[in-house]
Amino acid sequence: PDTFWMDMCSEITLGGGTGSNVSVVNLVANPERNTGYNGTHIWKAIYEENCILVDELREEMCYEERILYRLLSGLHASTTLSIAKNYYPPSKRKGRVRWEANPSYFMKQFESHPERVNNLHFSYVVLLRALQKVTPFLYNYEIKTGNIVDDETATILLRRLLDSSILKSCSHVFSAFDESHMFHSDDAARDLLSLRQNFKGVFHNISSILDCVQCQQCKLHGKMAMLGYGTALKILFLPEQLLSTTSLTRNEIVAFVNTIAKFSESTKEIRELTNLYWKIKQKKTLPQGDSRPPVPAAPTLPVVNTTDPVFEDPKLNLEDTAVALISHLARENLISE
């Protein structure tokens, strides 16, 4: 039925607890950054959970698993970027007055894994595609927090986002992902229903894994991003006429908008951290006393590992790789926008 995806975010909203445990958190005062927490085991569990078993004999990822894998990889990349950008805390002993970046950590995580950047871009496209679809509803969405000034400010900023030229000028880029290609089966209708049920079940299970995170700040941002993802998928899968205050809660909308902001910031951080890495490296290679400006390093174009099962689908691979490559060339001023 059309209402099948209504509870897409149910596990994240409840968070494994009761409504009395819910508290309001200021995301501005609690930004995502390095806490020292090692979440390797959490990410391992998340990736291993992405198994939509319709046919237990098959060995390759199905289309829906590849989509979910790319979203999870994109979130992983965004989280890593936030850590790299805010790695070293303020320290009077070391003369740091604010959080500083660790470009070497960034390069170590991404230099040999360009597919992580591609998946970040892909995830951003999915979020923007959902934003484009839900624009008519959000444009007239009434924000009520009890503070008239804040409500009016938030309304103006939300409409400024919805009126952004990127949603119009880049609308053709959104075709890099098309949700209508998902959940098709050559078998009986029962298998198609199982596919949809398993996809939602896997998403719920992945969301529940975040309850095992011991770092509260990490859990906060992980759950917010997964709630943003769940909201985006709900928007894309539901018929447009069902997008209303009944199907979308305030928390889901808040998480959705903040997740878009998170990924937008991540795309900017890639360029900033790359430039910072090469600036530091070139400075170290200059002879002592040489004040000549360093020669810019040749840009490294994104390379796709086509043996990765994520890129087996030509519709995803070619379009997304083209988008990533054009974006890279534009950022390096090698082509005009």
Side-chain angles (χ1 to χ4, degrees), residues 6-27:
M6 285 289 199
D7 62 343
M8 190 67 181
C9 304
S10 59
E11 294 299 318
I12 321 168
T13 304
L14 296 176
T18 62
S20 59
N21 293 332
V22 176
S23 59
V24 178
V25 178
N26 186 335
L27 294 174

Side-chain angles (χ1 to χ4, degrees), residues 129-153:
R129 184 177 175 91
L131 180 64
Q132 184 184 48
K133 179 178 178 180
V134 81
T135 290
F137 165 70
L138 288 183
Y139 206 86
N140 298 308
Y141 181 74
E142 186 178 8
I143 300 175
K144 294 187 296 183
T145 64
N147 186 313
I148 298 177
V149 175
D150 286 350
D151 292 349
E152 186 61 27
T153 301

Side-chain angles (χ1 to χ4, degrees), residues 9 58 88 187 199 219 239 255:
C9 304
R58 63 176 177 78
Y88 298 112
D187 299 326
F199 182 88
K219 182 188 293 186

